[in-house]
Amino acid sequence: MKIGILTGGGDCPGLNAVIRAIVRKSLQYGWECIGIENGWKGLIEIDTTPLDLNAVSGILQKGGTILGTSRTNPYKIENGEQIVFDNVARLGLHALIAIGGEDTLGVANNLCKAGLKVVGVPKTIDNDLNGTDYTFGFDTAVNIAMDAIDRIHTTAESHKRVMIIEVMGRHAGWIAMHSGIAAGADIILIPEKDIRVNEIISVIYSRLNRGRKFSIIVVAEGAKFSEDEKDEGQFVTQDQKLDAFGHIRLGGVANLLADVIERKTGIETRATILGHIQRGGSPTAFDRVLGTRFGVYAVEMIKMQKFGCMAALKGTDIIDVELDDAVNNLKTVDEKFYDTARVFFN
Ligand code: F6P
């Protein structure tokens, strides 16, 4: 049995733990693994690397992915699907493990429907994939963001400023919610809830009235102003370029919000965009363990011929779910969880 492994989409800490686990478990079965370089791009161009025991030695604690990644979408390339099928045959692959988020696994799902033997492993710092309680990479991102917010807290207090920290989260506010709650943010703004400037200002003033002269706001990059405050801006984009999956680059809502708050309150306000720092460096123990469990289970899924499925965490168990269920709807923050965070918005 020969298995191809690829990592697609934005990288995240824990990818190497998954790759290592897949290779180690495969070797137990006497199977061979090859790495496909740079996501789906490596299957379009036949760019591969052998993955033996030595190749995955010493990578568990390393961030990023030893296989490289890209946002290449075979369905945006002429004849892309056929090229993938031809190259899988040329490489002699019996099955493929795709490690990625909704875009990479969406492609995997389509290829599986067309007849390719593929299983998925859920990866994204955004934690917005359906069907799994957590994706690996998320815990590391949350801890990095929490640490940054803690640090910003002390300077906010010294200068008596409003400090806005922008974290990643295009359509879902999981990083903002977890890092904001963990670091004691005074307001958390997420894509699922429109930004209402007046509510933010009333929290800032209520804190001032009880002698708290600084405020900490955590905002997810995809948060939007409410309809009636539309003139303040919508998605704030760095540029208008779209990637192969049609996503605009975000980044900057914190700057816009800082201007609005300073203009309306006269209080000095500063913005910090954490950006890719959240995706870098060594994975937490949680992500190493989760990635390892997903990797081992992905091989089990191939053994059980559960193609078209994705490894998932449910409670404390690793199970498999249909890729269809995982990629067709995003997992977003619900009202109940937001209400918990809201208790502390004062
Ligand atoms: O999908 C993960 C993610 O980190 C998002 O949170 C973010 O919007 C996006 O990737 C950034 O993508 P890129 O690294 O291509 O700029």
Side-chain angles (χ1 to χ4, degrees):
M1 177 80 97
K2 195 171 174 188
I3 298 175
I5 308 170
L6 67 84
T7 55
D11 71 337
C12 80
L15 279 163
N16 291 325
V18 182
I19 297 166
R20 170 179 174 267
I22 294 170
V23 172
R24 296 289 290 264
K25 183 68 194 170
S26 298
L27 286 172
Q28 237 185 34
Y29 286 139
W31 297 352
E32 182 190 348
C33 290
I34 66 158
I36 317 283
E37 301 274 358
N38 306 318
W40 296 114
K41 193 165 184 257
L43 262 189
I44 298 287
E45 297 170 356
I46 304 212
D47 188 2
T48 65
T49 185
L51 285 178
D52 58 12
L53 197 52
N54 278 344
V56 296
S57 165
I59 65 169
L60 176 62
Q61 61 275 39
K62 281 193 186 150
T65 160
I66 58 162
L67 295 178
T69 187
S70 74
R71 295 195 189 272
T72 298
N73 181 353
Y75 287 96
K76 285 282 152 69
I77 293 169
E78 208 184 323
N79 256 337
E81 186 182 274
Q82 194 53 51
I83 297 172
V84 169
F85 272 83
D86 291 347
N87 289 344
V88 164
R90 220 165 272 155
L91 291 165
L93 298 178
H94 299 103
L96 196 66
I97 300 179
I99 311 167
E102 48 153 345
D103 296 331
T104 305
L105 297 184
V107 170
N109 195 27
N110 289 337
L111 290 168
C112 189
K113 288 193 167 118
L116 198 75
K117 291 185 171 168
V118 52
V119 300
V121 172
K123 167 248 56 160
T124 165
I125 63 161
D126 296 346
N127 197 39
D128 57 1
L129 258 177
N130 237 342
T132 184
D133 291 350
Y134 288 100
T135 50
F136 69 89
F138 171 66
D139 184 66
T140 308
V142 166
N143 277 286
I144 293 169
M146 179 191 73
D147 184 54
I149 302 164
D150 282 349
R151 286 166 192 279
I152 283 171
H153 229 117
T154 60
T155 167
E157 204 161 350
S158 306
H159 285 268
K160 299 165 187 62
R161 285 172 172 159
V162 173
M163 298 296 271
I164 307 176
I165 302 99
E166 182 178 316
V167 297
M168 282 187 170
R170 190 180 281 281
H171 301 293
W174 294 108
I175 298 178
M177 290 292 287
H178 281 246
S179 62
I181 291 172
D186 303 305
I187 299 162
I188 301 171
L189 304 167
I190 59 175
E192 295 85 339
K193 289 263 152 210
D194 286 349
I195 298 175
R196 296 190 180 277
V197 175
N198 286 344
E199 282 174 23
I200 297 170
I201 289 174
S202 76
V203 171
I204 293 169
Y205 281 138
S206 112
R207 287 176 55 75
L208 268 179
N209 288 340
R210 63 187 168 91
R212 305 300 279 160
K213 296 190 175 140
F214 70 95
S215 289
I216 302 287
I217 301 175
V218 176
V219 61
E221 62 181 348
K224 299 173 287 298
F225 288 85
S226 72
E227 272 299 305
D228 41 321
E229 286 162 347
K230 222 173 173 179
D231 54 327
E232 310 291 7
Q234 279 300 312
F235 273 124
V236 177
T237 59
Q238 284 177 3
D239 56 42
Q240 295 298 316
K241 268 187 245 149
L242 298 184
D243 66 23
F245 290 92
H247 305 303
I248 288 178
R249 268 173 72 196
L250 298 178
V253 64
N255 288 322
L256 191 70
L257 194 58
D259 283 349
V260 177
I261 290 173
E262 192 164 288
R263 185 163 26 91
K264 296 208 174 186
T265 63
I267 302 169
E268 250 194 315
T269 305
R270 295 282 193 273
T272 303
I273 300 175
L274 294 187
H276 291 81
I277 284 174
Q278 295 159 93
R279 291 218 313 246
S282 191
T284 57
F286 182 89
D287 282 336
R288 293 181 199 192
V289 174
L290 185 60
T292 298
R293 295 181 75 195
F294 280 160
V296 168
Y297 197 76
V299 177
E300 296 291 14
M301 287 195 299
I302 292 178
K303 180 109 178 138
M304 294 183 288
Q305 307 251 318
K306 291 206 164 176
F307 300 113
C309 287
M310 177 188 89
L313 179 72
K314 267 277 164 279
T316 55
D317 291 331
I318 304 292
I319 59 161
D320 44 79
V321 296
E322 299 279 326
L323 273 172
D324 255 341
D325 297 334
V327 298
N328 286 337
N329 288 305
L330 278 185
K331 183 181 72 185
T332 52
V333 174
D334 63 28
E335 200 67 41
K336 215 167 143 196
F337 189 31
Y338 197 67
D339 281 345
T340 302
R342 223 200 286 263
V343 170
F344 304 90
F345 294 2
N346 59 48

